[in-house]
Coordinates of all heavy atoms in Angstrom, one line a residue:
M1 N 0.9 -1.2 0.0 CA 0.0 0.0 0.0 C 0.9 1.2 0.0 O 1.8 1.3 0.7 CB -0.8 0.0 1.2 CG -1.7 1.2 1.2 SD -3.3 1.1 2.4 CE -2.5 0.9 4.0
R2 N 0.5 2.2 -0.8 CA 1.2 3.5 -0.8 C 0.9 4.3 0.4 O -0.1 4.3 1.0 CB 0.8 4.3 -2.1 CG 1.3 3.6 -3.4 CD 0.8 4.4 -4.5 NE 2.1 4.8 -5.3 CZ 2.1 5.5 -6.3 NH1 0.9 6.0 -6.8 NH2 3.2 5.6 -7.0
T3 N 1.8 5.1 0.7 CA 1.7 6.1 1.8 C 1.5 7.5 1.2 O 2.0 7.7 0.1 CB 3.0 6.1 2.7 OG1 4.1 6.4 2.0 CG2 3.1 4.8 3.5
S4 N 0.9 8.4 1.9 CA 0.6 9.7 1.4 C 1.0 10.7 2.5 O 0.7 10.4 3.7 CB -0.8 10.0 0.8 OG -1.8 9.7 1.8
Y5 N 1.4 11.9 2.0 CA 1.8 13.0 3.0 C 1.4 14.2 2.4 O 1.6 14.5 1.2 CB 3.4 13.0 3.2 CG 4.0 11.7 3.7 CD1 4.2 10.6 2.8 CD2 4.1 11.4 5.0 CE1 4.8 9.4 3.2 CE2 4.6 10.2 5.6 CZ 4.9 9.3 4.6 OH 5.4 8.1 5.1
V6 N 0.9 15.2 3.3 CA 0.8 16.5 3.0 C 2.1 17.3 3.3 O 2.6 17.2 4.4 CB -0.4 17.2 3.8 CG1 -0.6 18.6 3.4 CG2 -1.7 16.4 3.4
V7 N 2.6 17.9 2.3 CA 3.9 18.5 2.5 C 3.9 20.0 2.3 O 3.2 20.4 1.3 CB 5.0 17.9 1.4 CG1 6.3 18.6 1.6 CG2 5.0 16.4 1.5
R8 N 4.3 20.8 3.3 CA 4.3 22.2 3.1 C 5.6 22.6 2.4 O 6.7 22.2 3.0 CB 4.1 22.8 4.4 CG 2.6 22.8 4.9 CD 2.3 23.5 6.1 NE 3.2 22.9 7.2 CZ 3.9 23.6 8.0 NH1 4.0 24.9 8.0 NH2 4.6 23.1 9.0
I9 N 5.6 23.4 1.4 CA 6.9 23.8 0.8 C 7.0 25.4 0.7 O 6.0 26.1 0.7 CB 7.0 23.3 -0.7 CG1 5.8 23.6 -1.6 CG2 7.1 21.7 -0.6 CD1 5.9 23.2 -2.9
E10 N 8.2 25.9 0.6 CA 8.4 27.3 0.5 C 9.2 27.6 -0.8 O 9.7 28.7 -0.9 CB 9.3 27.8 1.7 CG 10.7 27.2 1.9 CD 11.4 27.6 3.1 OE1 10.8 28.5 3.8 OE2 12.5 27.2 3.3
V11 N 9.2 26.8 -1.7 CA 9.8 27.0 -3.0 C 8.7 26.8 -4.1 O 7.7 26.2 -3.8 CB 10.9 26.0 -3.3 CG1 12.1 26.2 -2.3 CG2 10.5 24.6 -3.2
P12 N 8.9 27.4 -5.3 CA 8.0 27.2 -6.4 C 7.7 25.7 -6.7 O 8.6 24.8 -6.5 CB 8.6 27.8 -7.6 CG 9.6 28.9 -7.0 CD 10.0 28.2 -5.7
L13 N 6.5 25.4 -7.1 CA 6.1 24.0 -7.3 C 7.1 23.2 -8.2 O 7.5 22.1 -8.0 CB 4.7 23.8 -7.8 CG 4.1 22.5 -8.0 CD1 4.1 21.6 -6.7 CD2 2.7 22.6 -8.6
E14 N 7.4 23.9 -9.3 CA 8.3 23.2 -10.3 C 9.7 23.0 -9.7 O 10.2 21.9 -9.9 CB 8.4 24.1 -11.5 CG 7.2 24.1 -12.5 CD 6.8 22.6 -12.8 OE1 7.6 21.7 -13.2 OE2 5.5 22.3 -12.7
E15 N 10.2 23.7 -8.8 CA 11.5 23.5 -8.2 C 11.4 22.3 -7.2 O 12.2 21.5 -7.2 CB 12.0 24.7 -7.4 CG 13.2 24.6 -6.7 CD 13.7 25.8 -6.0 OE1 13.3 27.0 -6.4 OE2 14.5 25.7 -5.1
F16 N 10.2 22.2 -6.5 CA 10.0 21.1 -5.6 C 9.9 19.8 -6.4 O 10.3 18.7 -6.0 CB 8.9 21.3 -4.8 CG 8.5 20.2 -3.8 CD1 9.4 19.9 -2.8 CD2 7.4 19.3 -4.0 CE1 9.2 18.7 -1.9 CE2 7.2 18.2 -3.2 CZ 8.1 17.9 -2.2
R17 N 9.1 19.9 -7.6 CA 9.0 18.6 -8.4 C 10.4 18.1 -8.9 O 10.7 16.9 -8.8 CB 8.1 19.0 -9.6 CG 7.8 17.9 -10.4 CD 6.9 18.3 -11.7 NE 5.9 19.2 -11.5 CZ 4.6 18.8 -11.2 NH1 4.3 17.6 -11.2 NH2 3.7 19.7 -11.1
R18 N 11.3 19.0 -9.2 CA 12.6 18.6 -9.6 C 13.4 17.9 -8.5 O 14.1 16.9 -8.6 CB 13.4 19.7 -10.1 CG 13.0 20.2 -11.6 CD 14.0 21.1 -12.2 NE 14.1 22.4 -11.4 CZ 13.4 23.5 -11.5 NH1 12.4 23.5 -12.4 NH2 13.5 24.5 -10.9
T19 N 13.2 18.6 -7.2 CA 13.9 18.1 -6.0 C 13.4 16.6 -5.7 O 14.0 15.7 -5.5 CB 13.6 19.0 -4.9 OG1 14.2 20.2 -5.1 CG2 14.3 18.4 -3.6
L20 N 12.1 16.6 -5.8 CA 11.4 15.2 -5.5 C 11.7 14.1 -6.4 O 11.8 13.0 -6.1 CB 9.9 15.4 -5.4 CG 9.0 14.3 -4.8 CD1 9.4 14.1 -3.4 CD2 7.5 14.6 -5.1
A21 N 12.1 14.4 -7.7 CA 12.4 13.5 -8.6 C 13.7 12.7 -8.2 O 13.9 11.6 -8.7 CB 12.7 14.1 -10.0
G22 N 14.4 13.2 -7.4 CA 15.7 12.6 -6.9 C 15.4 11.6 -5.7 O 16.2 10.9 -5.4
L23 N 14.2 11.5 -5.3 CA 13.9 10.6 -4.2 C 13.0 9.4 -4.7 O 12.0 9.5 -5.2 CB 12.9 11.3 -3.2 CG 12.6 10.6 -1.9 CD1 13.9 10.2 -1.2 CD2 11.7 11.5 -1.0
D24 N 13.8 8.3 -4.8 CA 13.2 7.1 -5.4 C 11.9 6.7 -4.7 O 11.8 6.6 -3.5 CB 14.2 6.0 -5.2 CG 13.8 4.7 -6.0 OD1 13.3 4.8 -7.1 OD2 13.9 3.6 -5.4
G25 N 10.8 6.4 -5.5 CA 9.6 6.0 -5.0 C 8.6 7.1 -4.6 O 7.5 6.7 -4.2
A26 N 9.0 8.3 -4.7 CA 8.1 9.4 -4.4 C 7.6 10.0 -5.6 O 8.3 10.2 -6.7 CB 8.9 10.5 -3.6
V27 N 6.2 10.4 -5.5 CA 5.5 11.1 -6.7 C 4.7 12.3 -6.1 O 4.0 12.0 -5.2 CB 4.6 10.0 -7.2 CG1 3.7 10.6 -8.4 CG2 5.3 8.7 -7.8
L28 N 4.8 13.3 -6.8 CA 4.0 14.4 -6.6 C 2.5 14.1 -7.1 O 2.3 14.0 -8.2 CB 4.5 15.7 -7.2 CG 3.7 17.0 -6.9 CD1 3.7 17.3 -5.5 CD2 4.2 18.2 -7.8
H29 N 1.6 13.9 -6.1 CA 0.2 13.5 -6.5 C -0.6 14.7 -7.0 O -1.1 14.8 -8.1 CB -0.5 12.8 -5.4 CG -1.9 12.4 -5.6 ND1 -2.1 11.5 -6.7 CD2 -3.0 12.7 -5.0 CE1 -3.5 11.4 -6.7 NE2 -4.0 12.1 -5.7
R30 N -0.7 15.8 -6.2 CA -1.4 17.0 -6.5 C -1.1 18.2 -5.6 O -0.5 18.0 -4.5 CB -2.9 16.8 -6.5 CG -3.5 16.5 -5.2 CD -4.9 16.1 -5.3 NE -5.5 15.7 -3.9 CZ -6.4 16.4 -3.4 NH1 -7.0 17.4 -3.9 NH2 -6.8 15.9 -2.2
E31 N -1.4 19.3 -6.1 CA -1.3 20.6 -5.3 C -2.5 20.9 -4.6 O -3.6 20.9 -5.1 CB -0.8 21.7 -6.2 CG -0.6 23.0 -5.4 CD 0.0 24.1 -6.3 OE1 -0.4 24.2 -7.5 OE2 0.6 25.0 -5.7
L32 N -2.6 21.0 -3.3 CA -3.7 21.3 -2.5 C -4.1 22.8 -2.6 O -5.2 23.3 -2.8 CB -3.6 20.9 -1.0 CG -3.4 19.4 -0.9 CD1 -3.2 19.2 0.6 CD2 -4.7 18.6 -1.3
S33 N -3.1 23.6 -2.4 CA -3.2 25.1 -2.4 C -1.7 25.5 -2.5 O -0.7 24.8 -2.4 CB -3.8 25.7 -1.1 OG -2.9 25.3 0.0
P34 N -1.4 26.8 -2.9 CA -0.1 27.2 -3.1 C 0.8 26.9 -1.7 O 0.2 27.3 -0.6 CB -0.2 28.7 -3.3 CG -1.5 28.8 -3.9 CD -2.4 27.8 -3.3
G35 N 1.8 26.2 -1.9 CA 2.6 25.8 -0.7 C 2.3 24.5 0.0 O 2.9 24.2 0.9
R36 N 1.2 23.9 -0.5 CA 0.9 22.6 0.0 C 0.6 21.6 -1.0 O -0.2 21.8 -2.0 CB -0.4 22.7 0.9 CG -0.2 23.6 2.2 CD -1.5 23.7 2.9 NE -2.0 22.4 3.4 CZ -3.2 22.0 3.4 NH1 -4.2 22.7 2.7 NH2 -3.6 20.7 3.8
V37 N 1.2 20.4 -1.0 CA 1.1 19.3 -2.0 C 1.0 18.0 -1.3 O 1.3 17.9 -0.1 CB 2.4 19.4 -2.9 CG1 2.5 20.6 -3.7 CG2 3.7 19.0 -2.1
V38 N 0.5 17.0 -2.0 CA 0.3 15.7 -1.6 C 1.4 14.9 -2.4 O 1.5 14.9 -3.5 CB -1.0 15.1 -1.9 CG1 -1.1 13.6 -1.5 CG2 -2.2 15.9 -1.1
V39 N 2.1 14.2 -1.5 CA 3.3 13.3 -2.1 C 2.8 11.9 -1.7 O 2.5 11.6 -0.6 CB 4.6 13.7 -1.5 CG1 5.7 12.6 -1.9 CG2 5.0 15.1 -1.9
L40 N 2.9 11.0 -2.7 CA 2.8 9.6 -2.5 C 4.0 8.9 -2.5 O 5.0 9.2 -3.2 CB 1.8 9.0 -3.6 CG 0.5 9.6 -3.8 CD1 -0.3 8.9 -5.1 CD2 -0.4 9.5 -2.5
G41 N 4.1 7.8 -1.7 CA 5.3 7.0 -1.8 C 5.2 5.5 -1.9 O 4.1 5.1 -1.2
D42 N 6.0 4.8 -2.5 CA 5.9 3.3 -2.5 C 6.4 2.7 -1.1 O 6.2 1.5 -0.9 CB 6.8 2.8 -3.6 CG 6.2 3.1 -5.0 OD1 5.0 3.4 -5.1 OD2 7.0 3.0 -5.9
R43 N 6.9 3.6 -0.3 CA 7.5 3.2 1.0 C 7.3 4.3 1.9 O 7.0 5.4 1.5 CB 8.9 2.7 0.8 CG 9.8 3.9 0.3 CD 11.2 3.5 0.0 NE 11.8 4.4 -0.8 CZ 12.9 5.2 -0.4 NH1 13.3 5.0 0.9 NH2 13.4 6.1 -1.1
P44 N 7.4 4.1 3.2 CA 7.3 5.2 4.2 C 8.4 6.3 3.8 O 9.6 5.9 3.7 CB 7.6 4.6 5.5 CG 7.0 3.2 5.3 CD 7.5 2.8 3.9
L45 N 8.0 7.5 3.8 CA 8.9 8.6 3.5 C 9.0 9.7 4.5 O 9.5 10.7 4.3 CB 8.5 9.3 2.1 CG 8.4 8.5 0.9 CD1 7.7 9.2 -0.3 CD2 9.8 7.9 0.5
G46 N 8.3 9.5 5.6 CA 8.1 10.3 6.7 C 9.4 11.0 7.2 O 9.4 12.1 7.7
T47 N 10.5 10.1 7.1 CA 11.8 10.6 7.7 C 12.7 11.3 6.6 O 13.6 12.0 6.9 CB 12.5 9.5 8.4 OG1 12.7 8.4 7.5 CG2 11.8 9.0 9.7
L48 N 12.2 11.0 5.3 CA 13.1 11.4 4.2 C 12.6 12.9 3.7 O 13.4 13.7 3.4 CB 13.1 10.5 3.0 CG 13.6 9.1 3.4 CD1 13.5 8.1 2.3 CD2 15.1 9.2 3.8
L49 N 11.3 13.0 3.6 CA 10.8 14.3 3.1 C 11.1 15.6 3.8 O 11.5 16.5 3.1 CB 9.2 14.1 3.1 CG 8.6 13.2 2.0 CD1 7.2 13.1 2.2 CD2 8.9 13.7 0.5
P50 N 11.2 15.6 5.1 CA 11.7 16.8 5.8 C 13.0 17.2 5.5 O 13.3 18.4 5.6 CB 11.5 16.5 7.3 CG 10.6 15.3 7.4 CD 10.8 14.5 6.1
G51 N 13.9 16.3 5.0 CA 15.2 16.8 4.7 C 15.5 17.3 3.3 O 16.5 17.7 2.9
L52 N 14.4 17.4 2.5 CA 14.4 17.9 1.1 C 14.5 19.4 1.2 O 13.8 20.0 1.9 CB 13.4 17.4 0.3 CG 13.1 15.9 0.1 CD1 12.0 15.6 -0.8 CD2 14.4 15.4 -0.7
A53 N 15.2 20.0 0.2 CA 15.2 21.5 0.1 C 13.9 21.9 -0.2 O 13.2 21.4 -1.0 CB 16.2 21.8 -1.0
G54 N 13.5 23.1 0.5 CA 12.3 23.7 0.4 C 11.0 23.2 1.1 O 10.1 23.8 1.1
V55 N 11.3 22.1 1.8 CA 10.2 21.5 2.7 C 10.3 22.1 4.0 O 11.3 22.2 4.8 CB 10.4 20.0 2.8 CG1 9.4 19.5 3.7 CG2 10.2 19.3 1.5
V56 N 9.1 22.7 4.5 CA 8.9 23.3 5.8 C 8.1 22.4 6.7 O 8.1 22.8 7.9 CB 8.5 24.8 5.8 CG1 9.5 25.6 5.0 CG2 7.2 24.9 5.1
G57 N 7.3 21.5 6.3 CA 6.5 20.7 7.2 C 6.1 19.4 6.4 O 5.7 19.5 5.3
V58 N 5.9 18.4 7.1 CA 5.4 17.1 6.5 C 4.4 16.5 7.6 O 4.7 16.3 8.7 CB 6.5 16.1 6.3 CG1 5.8 14.8 5.8 CG2 7.5 16.6 5.4
T59 N 3.2 16.2 7.1 CA 2.1 15.5 7.9 C 1.6 14.3 7.2 O 1.3 14.4 6.0 CB 0.9 16.5 8.1 OG1 1.4 17.7 8.6 CG2 -0.1 15.9 9.0
P60 N 1.6 13.2 7.9 CA 1.1 11.9 7.2 C -0.4 12.2 6.8 O -1.2 12.8 7.7 CB 1.2 10.9 8.3 CG 2.3 11.3 9.2 CD 2.2 12.8 9.1
D61 N -0.8 11.8 5.7 CA -2.2 12.0 5.2 C -3.0 10.9 5.9 O -2.3 9.9 6.5 CB -2.3 11.9 3.7 CG -3.5 12.6 3.1 OD1 -4.4 13.1 3.9 OD2 -3.7 12.5 1.9
L62 N -4.3 11.0 5.9 CA -5.2 9.9 6.4 C -4.9 8.6 5.8 O -4.8 8.6 4.5 CB -6.7 10.4 6.3 CG -7.0 11.6 7.0 CD1 -8.5 11.9 6.7 CD2 -7.0 11.5 8.6
P63 N -4.8 7.6 6.5 CA -4.5 6.4 5.9 C -5.6 5.9 5.1 O -6.8 6.0 5.6 CB -4.1 5.4 7.1 CG -4.5 6.1 8.3 CD -4.8 7.5 8.0
R64 N -5.5 5.4 3.8 CA -6.5 4.9 3.0 C -5.7 4.2 1.9 O -4.7 4.6 1.5 CB -7.5 5.9 2.6 CG -6.9 7.0 1.7 CD -7.8 8.1 1.3 NE -7.1 9.2 0.7 CZ -6.8 10.3 1.3 NH1 -7.1 10.5 2.6 NH2 -6.2 11.2 0.6
P65 N -6.4 3.2 1.4 CA -5.8 2.4 0.2 C -5.7 3.3 -1.0 O -6.5 4.1 -1.4 CB -6.8 1.4 -0.1 CG -7.7 1.1 1.1 CD -7.7 2.6 1.8
M66 N -4.5 3.4 -1.6 CA -4.2 4.3 -2.7 C -4.1 3.5 -4.0 O -4.0 4.0 -5.1 CB -2.9 5.1 -2.6 CG -2.9 6.0 -1.3 SD -4.2 7.3 -1.3 CE -3.7 8.1 -2.7
D67 N -4.2 2.1 -3.9 CA -4.0 1.3 -5.1 C -5.3 0.8 -5.7 O -6.2 0.7 -4.9 CB -3.1 0.0 -4.8 CG -1.7 0.5 -4.5 OD1 -1.2 1.5 -4.9 OD2 -1.1 -0.2 -3.7

């Protein structure tokens, strides 16, 4: 089952998208509002996402089947 996270960012969306491309198994699912996006992962990413450039906060999304 995939995991999902609401991620707060302080960089433009396209810049974050390029940064996220370097994290294996992570996919930008959608933008919620400026500065907030949903990221999906094939594995738990809760400890990796906060270390990415431009990330100011990470909250696990409500657990639900994504497949």
Side-chain angles (χ1 to χ4, degrees):
M1 180 164 62
R2 293 181 123 180
T3 57
S4 64
Y5 302 89
V6 176
V7 181
R8 289 182 297 131
I9 57 174
E10 62 181 3
V11 296
L13 183 59
E14 288 307 313
E15 183 178 334
F16 179 69
R17 189 184 309 270
R18 287 190 299 271
T19 300
L20 193 62
L23 186 56
D24 188 45
V27 176
L28 180 64
H29 179 61
R30 67 185 174 117
E31 184 176 24
L32 297 173
S33 62
R36 291 179 64 226
V37 297
V38 175
V39 173
L40 302 178
D42 291 338
R43 59 194 167 105
L45 300 172
T47 58
L48 300 173
L49 289 170
L52 295 179
V55 172
V56 294
V58 176
T59 304
D61 202 0
L62 296 174
R64 60 183 172 262
M66 301 299 295
D67 295 332

